[in-house]
């Protein structure tokens, strides 16, 4: 692609030199930044490995690096799509991500143009960015508020000028992702929480407990069943398979703190979960992206023995639909506070609630009004429509499939009632 100042080179799989350029660019751009945490090289590489990323089964990805006239790498970007997600929108939509660049609009435009043209040639009519060629819980969105805070593990961090680079090109705000922080020893929950728990527990049968010594595969299978009921009310969400759940258990096993994974039960049937993990970014900054055996041992020593991690990452929360609106979320808060968070056994000082989309006002209100957490980071997912005459619309509020009204759960009998399906907002 011709350019007076810059040249663009495709990073082809197996070209070790260019793959290293792609990986190492942010290490140079962010050198000396006190807040940036270098991610694991292997985590980024896995996104573009067809053997490790299942989205290649019905999708494609491409990467580029950009050089200045002196031959120095000054920018990078990736573009990708998969048919399962692309055709779930009003127009076929791909994505661009892993954008890094010096502060130059001409360079940014060249990178965005390359992504747009490649996606257009594959039938796409829009691109979201910066997003991940994978799950939304990693590398999704552009940081637009909260530059003075360290990011959570695999959450994006970028300099403030990236916002202008995206918006000057024509990207528009599709939705915001809010992150809230709650200080364990300085903040308290709203008194309404305790009132709601009192009403909830007036119905016999409810209890809350951490997984303790439970087998992790057993716990993740309970999570899967609740998740598939809960998220079935979200349009476009695919059920989680048993294989995916077991892979999740294998991934989480080394870092799991069993005090941070809780389930809610009614008459001994699992009805909800609240999963948090220690935030690895408190430990891995000094690894410079390397995660071989020695650094794995160092991390486990710091995490399990020295207990140097002081921040928790609340990653997912859900309640089956027939138990929503009854105060189960308040039950989680009260029980976790009294039985772990506010005890001598707790080593953590802050809890961060991340990736709460502005299209989900119910969840934002719960975190702000009940937990009384403070919003301190905002990421934006942008969308660029290729047809510039087409009307742009922001992401609609959470769309639910209709579900029938349910009565208060009946006490457990010899003939259990059929289980309803649905999602926590």
């Amino acid at each position: 692609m011709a350019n007076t100042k810059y040249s663009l080179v495709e990073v082809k799989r197996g070209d070790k030199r260019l793959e290293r350029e792609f990986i190492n660019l942010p290490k140079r751009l962010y050198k000396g930044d006190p807040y940036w945490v270098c991610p694991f090289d292997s985590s980024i590489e896995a996104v573009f490995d067809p053997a490790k990323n299942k989205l290649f089964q019905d999708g494609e990805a491409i990467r580029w690096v950009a050089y200045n006239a002196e031959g120095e790498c000054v920018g990078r970007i990736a573009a990708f799509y998969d048919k399962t997600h692309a055709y779930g929108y009003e127009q076929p939509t791909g994505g661009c991500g892993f954008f890094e660049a010096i502060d130059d609009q001409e360079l940014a435009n060249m990178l965005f143009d390359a992504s747009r043209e490649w996606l257009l040639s594959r039938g796409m009519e829009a691109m979201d960015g910066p997003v991940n060629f994978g799950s939304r819980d990693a590398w999704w969105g552009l940081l637009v508020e909260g530059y003075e805070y360290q990011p959570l593990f695999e959450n994006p961090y970028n300099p403030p000028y990236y916002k202008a680079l995206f918006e000057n090109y024509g990207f528009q705000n599709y939705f915001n992702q809010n992150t809230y922080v709650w200080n364990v020893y300085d903040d308290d929950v709203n008194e309404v929480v305790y009132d709601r728990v009192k009403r909830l527990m007036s119905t016999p049968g409810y209890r809350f407990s951490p997984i303790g010594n439970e087998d992790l595969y057993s716990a993740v299978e309970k999570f899967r069943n609740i998740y598939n009921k809960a998220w079935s009310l979200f349009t476009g969400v695919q059920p989680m398979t048993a294989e995916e759940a077991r892979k999740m258990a294998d991934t989480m096993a080394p870092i799991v703190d069993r005090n941070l994974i809780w389930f809610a039960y009614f008459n001994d049937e699992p009805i909800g979960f609240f999963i948090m993990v220690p935030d690895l970014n408190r430990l891995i900054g000094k690894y410079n992206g390397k995660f071989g055996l020695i650094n794995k041992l160092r991390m486990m020593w710091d995490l399990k023995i020295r207990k140097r991690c002081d921040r928790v990452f609340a990653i997912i929360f859900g309640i089956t639909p027939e138990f929503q609106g009854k105060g189960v979320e308040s039950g989680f808060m009260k029980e976790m506070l009294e039985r772990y968070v506010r005890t001598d056994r707790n080593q953590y000082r802050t809890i961060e609630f991340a990736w709460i989309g502005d299209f989900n006002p119910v969840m934002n209100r719960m975190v702000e009004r009940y937990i009384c957490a403070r919003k301190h980071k905002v990421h934006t997912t942008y969308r660029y429509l290729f047809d510039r005459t087409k009307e742009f619309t922001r992401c609609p509020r959470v769309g639910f499939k209709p579900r029938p009204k349910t009565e208060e759960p009946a006490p457990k009998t010899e003939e259990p009632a059929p289980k309803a399906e649905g999602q926590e907002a």
Side-chain angles (χ1 to χ4, degrees), residues 372-390:
C372 300
R374 174 175 56 87
K375 182 165 66 176
H376 74 149
K377 298 174 194 167
V378 178
H379 291 79
T380 296
T381 294
Y382 290 98
R383 176 162 289 182
Y384 183 93
L385 300 178
F386 298 164
D387 180 352
R388 305 307 291 163
T389 66
K390 185 173 182 179

Side-chain angles (χ1 to χ4, degrees), residues 81-145:
Y81 74 94
D82 70 282
K83 294 177 181 177
T84 300
H85 294 93
Y87 293 96
Y89 298 104
E90 180 182 353
Q91 65 282 313
T93 301
C96 66
F98 301 92
F99 172 88
E100 302 285 0
I102 60 172
D103 188 4
D104 188 306
Q105 190 68 53
E106 182 180 349
L107 170 62
N109 290 351
M110 183 180 73
L111 294 167
F112 296 143
D113 280 345
S115 300
R116 175 179 55 82
E117 291 167 10
W118 184 84
L119 289 168
L120 186 63
S121 72
R122 275 133 179 96
M124 299 297 105
E125 298 176 11
M127 66 178 172
D128 290 346
V131 297
N132 183 25
F133 189 43
S135 61
R136 285 187 173 191
D137 60 359
W139 319 125
W140 203 285
L142 188 79
L143 183 66
V144 296
E145 293 180 27

Side-chain angles (χ1 to χ4, degrees), residues 171-424:
F171 280 96
Q172 294 171 276
N173 184 322
Y174 189 52
F175 59 78
N176 286 330
Q177 305 137 229
N178 300 322
T179 299
Y180 296 86
V181 63
W182 191 84
N183 294 299
V184 169
Y185 298 106
D186 298 330
D187 298 332
D188 205 350
V189 297
N190 193 305
E191 284 297 322
V192 172
V193 168
Y194 298 99
D195 294 336
R196 287 170 61 84
V197 175
K198 186 175 180 179
R199 290 196 298 271
L200 176 75
M201 301 306 284
S202 67
T203 300
Y206 288 102
R207 68 178 176 89
F208 302 83
S209 66
I211 63 171
N213 295 322
E214 181 179 352
D215 177 74
L216 196 56
Y217 287 133
S218 171
V220 84
E221 182 61 17
K222 285 193 297 189
F223 161 80
R224 184 178 76 90
N225 289 332
I226 297 169
Y227 175 91
N228 285 346
K229 292 180 189 178
W231 266 256
S232 67
L233 288 183
F234 276 120
T235 55
V237 174
Q238 301 297 316
M240 179 180 292
T241 66
E243 179 185 4
E244 289 172 331
R246 290 182 72 85
K247 285 183 179 179
M248 184 178 77
D250 292 336
T251 301
M252 291 180 60
I255 65 168
V256 159
D257 182 337
R258 290 173 175 270
N259 297 299
L260 300 177
I261 300 177
W262 285 62
F263 283 93
Y265 301 85
F266 183 76
N267 288 338
D268 294 326
E269 291 291 328
I271 62 169
F273 55 74
F274 196 155
I275 298 178
M276 302 187 290
V277 295
D279 178 35
L280 298 185
N281 269 10
R282 305 301 268 183
L283 306 175
I284 68 171
K286 57 196 173 199
Y287 299 170
N288 197 36
K290 309 303 179 186
F291 199 48
L293 178 59
I294 292 177
N295 280 343
K296 288 179 181 178
L297 293 174
R298 290 173 67 191
M299 188 186 76
M300 296 307 296
W301 176 260
D302 286 342
L303 188 64
K304 302 291 187 179
I305 306 301
R306 300 182 69 186
K307 298 185 182 297
R308 294 187 60 188
C309 182
D310 62 355
R311 182 167 69 179
V312 168
F313 183 0
I315 59 173
I316 192 165
F317 164 80
I319 299 170
T320 55
E322 66 268 36
F323 289 92
Q324 292 173 20
K326 300 180 184 300
V328 175
E329 76 293 335
S330 296
F332 271 122
M333 292 179 230
K334 176 179 179 295
E335 291 293 307
M336 294 173 72
L337 275 176
E338 294 180 354
R339 292 169 56 188
Y340 180 67
V341 173
R342 292 272 172 79
T343 70
D344 293 339
R345 294 182 295 118
N346 176 30
Q347 72 193 59
Y348 308 105
R349 301 195 63 82
T350 57
I351 300 173
E352 293 202 18
F353 302 83
W355 222 120
I356 303 178
D358 63 2
F359 51 78
N360 192 344
V362 173
M363 183 62 77
N364 280 277
R365 284 198 300 270
M366 188 193 83
V367 174
E368 291 176 358
R369 297 180 185 177
Y370 292 170
I371 300 177
C372 300
R374 174 175 56 87
K375 182 165 66 176
H376 74 149
K377 298 174 194 167
V378 178
H379 291 79
T380 296
T381 294
Y382 290 98
R383 176 162 289 182
Y384 183 93
L385 300 178
F386 298 164
D387 180 352
R388 305 307 291 163
T389 66
K390 185 173 182 179
E391 181 183 2
F392 175 83
T393 57
R394 295 191 82 235
C395 178
R397 289 190 173 189
V398 170
F400 295 112
K401 301 170 188 175
R403 60 180 168 90
K405 293 183 178 179
T406 57
E407 302 296 331
E408 181 71 19
K412 193 171 184 179
T413 64
E414 293 182 3
E415 192 67 32
K419 300 172 185 175
E421 298 181 344
Q423 151 71 31
E424 173 67 13

